[in-house]
Amino acid sequence: MSKNIVVVGATSGIARALCHELGQDGNRLLLAGRTREELDKCAADLQVRYHADVWVELFEALDFATHAAFFERCLARFDGELDGFVLCHGYMTNQETTEQDWDEAQRTIDVNFTSTVSLLMLAANYFELRKKGYIVALSSVAGDRGRMSNYTYGAAKAGLSAYLQGLRNRLHRAGVQVLTVKPGLVDTPMTAGLLDPQSPLVATPEKIARDINQAIHKRKDTLYSPWFWRFIMGLIRVLPERVSKRLKL
Amino acid sequence: MEAREELLSGWGNYPVERCYTVRPATLAALHAIVTRGTQPNYIARGLGRAYGDAALNRQHGIIVQTRLDRFLSFDECSGILECEAGVSFATIIQYLLPRGWFLPTTPGTKHVTVGGAIAADVHGKNHHLTGSLGNFLLDFTLLTASGALLTCSPQENVDVFAATLGGMGLTGIIISARLQLVRVESAYVQVVYRKTKNLDETLASFATDHEYRYSVAWVDCLTSASSLGRGVVMLGNEARVQDLPEPLARHPLALPTKRELSMPFRLPGIVLNPWSAKAFNALYYSCHRQGLAIVDYETFFYPLDHVLHWNRIYGWRGFVQYQAFFPPETAHSGLIAVLEKVSHEQQASFLAVLKRSGPASQGLLSFLSPGYTLALDFPYTGPDLQRLLGELDAVLLKHGGRLYLAKDATTTAEAFAAMYPRLPEFLAIKTRLDPSNRFVSSQARRLDIVEAL
């Protein structure tokens, strides 16, 4: 059954792979992002490969005042019938930068957390009334525990994870799925130069995308992808503070 | 975007060099790297199937194009495909062969990108009739060192088109291209196999190849005297639906689902020696059937793609592939001279592929024109092999031949300049487009296309 799905941050690494999964399944997609040219290329690719119905819409995460109008345009594009709302936009710079440069710290928090809350407020109210549909948001394993190597980004994602958890509790009553995705290390443009793509711990965006698509179908609440991150983060979460503060995690 | 330090090699695993790679995912990111990147120079790289050092840049930058891999448009009526340069032939086949469209020409692996294929002006088993990829290329967009985007075609920016087609990435970065695909009725090829007793018979078999869209011969290069150049000639035409047996005819365009084998590790060097290669060649020859068969496109076009990482059979030392071209007048004596030398030296060559070549393309450094081409591969044995390949170069030069830059890893600047008489024209265009040599590869340095940087 084909669905109407909005993908925000559609030109990002994981989103591009996820759009292939969603397009292959015959869904109608609206790709939202900052660069018209890139969105058009991604849309053309999905149209050629899967004969998918794809539209594009410009979206600026940090321009909060435009979010309501953006959401209205998404609804209008699908004649008010939206089935899925997928948030893939994110921002990461290295930790040291966010310790010295407030603009960068604020950008990290606002793109990853504030803008997501702003969008989810609109989406949640829509789906709650409609009593069906799903919300997917990309959080991160980095949000499971503050670590010295990445805590600004981690804190924003932790906030997002907590927000999604609460939202899930609320929307459960309306039969709406809220899926929190916690990818581990993924070889995407966002992590270029920071990760070794050949490492066995580093997953491809295609792998994450397949996992997300499955998790949507299985109506899961939280997805760790690849699966072993659930255990890794389980261990890191239970480390006593007096130990973890001595480690260079 | 930060570069990653990596030890890289071409498909032959020789040479191995330290390079700094970046993988842009957008045109803007790519543009920023070319105009403001931190490396003094870069070369584009696709899936790393060039055998030697064509897509290496020792101690300098490499722009990996595999994230720029989107289809941009496809006209289902005319078969014109527009795509980004990082799209692979495998992807084109995966999505468009089931709709009745196939690549106009393809090398022996489908794991090449469109950009790489243009830069090497690749050819396939239909070269004798249709020539190389350049003849099916409507246009491409080139990002030059100045940051300009040039549309190049046989009608527009003709000189840049001719320098870039087969130009090994030295004129700029190919961003996207428009290709003319060809209509097919099925994903199968009807093949005639003919076993031949010697080179004369092998060459004679090509005499009728104008009746076949595809022709190629595997030759045993480790025999001597009377059976020198014996082999198996394969002549094929795209199978029509009516040619297919019943179960296949029901889904003529369905892609075969084959389990891929993988070479899990590199073989120790000792396994591959003159005796084992000779045994393999003899076995291949004696086991091969004669006659007519219907085979799927994978088996026919990409027999080795089925075995992932097959290049590992050559072990850690790697191998060099040597593809020689001879014009028709000198082909017979040239091929005999090469085969005799290889056979005499007992240098193991698992694969020797002979084929007739046809019309040349516009590329200034494009490889093929009418004549014959022979591909051989040799385990890399150091000075011994360097000497042998130098001698083969001399044979080529004497016979007016040349070798294929996409496979070359060892030839000298002098030999290269003598083989490619249009090099000065190429250099003039390269200098105009890229005066400060922003685009450099290890191969370009070795061949003195750019002065050693």
Side-chain angles (χ1 to χ4, degrees), chain A residues 16 37-38 41-42 44-45 48-51 187-189 192-198, chain B residues 1-2 4 6 23 25-27 67 69-74 76 84 91 95-96 99:
Chain A
R16 260 160 77 162
E37 196 188 2
E38 286 300 318
K41 285 181 191 171
C42 289
D45 187 43
V48 173
R49 285 183 199 231
Y50 312 112
H51 295 299
D187 178 25
T188 66
L194 303 172
L195 299 178
D196 171 7
Q198 260 104 53
Chain B
M1 180 178 286
E2 292 188 48
R4 228 178 77 75
E6 274 183 277
R23 275 188 303 160
T26 63
L27 177 57
R67 273 192 181 135
D69 64 345
R70 290 168 290 194
F71 288 116
L72 299 175
S73 68
F74 180 62
E76 313 255 356
E84 290 186 297
T91 304
Y95 290 100
L96 302 181
R99 299 182 208 169

Side-chain angles (χ1 to χ4, degrees), chain A residues 1-10 18-19 22 27-32 55 70-71 73-78 80-88 119-120 122-124 126-128 130-137 171 175-179 212-213 216-217 219:
Chain A
M1 190 30 206
S2 87
K3 303 221 151 137
N4 299 334
I5 304 166
V6 173
V7 180
V8 179
L18 181 59
C19 286
L22 298 173
N27 296 298
R28 286 176 291 274
L29 300 176
L30 188 152
L31 312 183
W55 295 270
F70 163 74
F71 193 74
R73 287 201 303 280
C74 293
L75 284 182
R77 185 68 75 188
F78 290 126
E81 296 286 315
L82 187 58
D83 301 293
F85 197 66
V86 182
L87 298 179
C88 298
L119 277 178
L120 287 179
L122 302 159
Y126 168 82
F127 285 122
E128 192 172 42
R130 207 164 167 263
K131 297 207 180 315
K132 60 179 181 179
Y134 63 80
I135 288 168
V136 178
L171 294 184
V176 177
Q177 179 194 9
V178 176
L179 172 63
I212 296 174
N213 198 27
I216 294 172
H217 287 296
R219 295 188 64 81

Side-chain angles (χ1 to χ4, degrees), chain B residues 98-145:
Chain B
R99 299 182 208 169
W101 293 97
F102 193 64
L103 296 159
T105 185
T106 171
T109 172
K110 62 185 166 157
H111 301 299
V112 296
T113 60
V114 168
I118 294 170
D121 192 14
V122 297
H123 59 271
K125 296 176 172 67
N126 54 354
H127 195 282
H128 61 292
L129 292 182
T130 57
S132 59
L133 184 69
N135 296 341
F136 302 93
L137 191 57
L138 297 162
D139 54 45
F140 57 77
T141 306
L142 186 74
L143 174 63
T144 65

Side-chain angles (χ1 to χ4, degrees), chain B residues 18 54 113 152 332 374 402:
Chain B
R18 190 168 302 281
T113 60
C152 306
H332 190 266
L374 176 71
R402 66 184 87 96

Side-chain angles (χ1 to χ4, degrees), chain B residues 198-199 202 219-224 227-230 326 332-346 352-354 374-376 392 395:
Chain B
N198 53 40
L199 184 67
T202 307
V219 293
D220 182 348
C221 53
L222 292 172
T223 54
S224 53
S227 53
L228 187 71
R230 69 172 182 178
F326 293 103
H332 190 266
S333 60
L335 290 169
I336 291 276
V338 167
L339 287 171
E340 273 180 345
K341 206 167 257 308
V342 174
S343 172
H344 173 73
E345 298 262 345
Q346 294 285 300
V353 174
L354 179 67
L374 176 71
L376 302 161
L392 293 181
V395 173

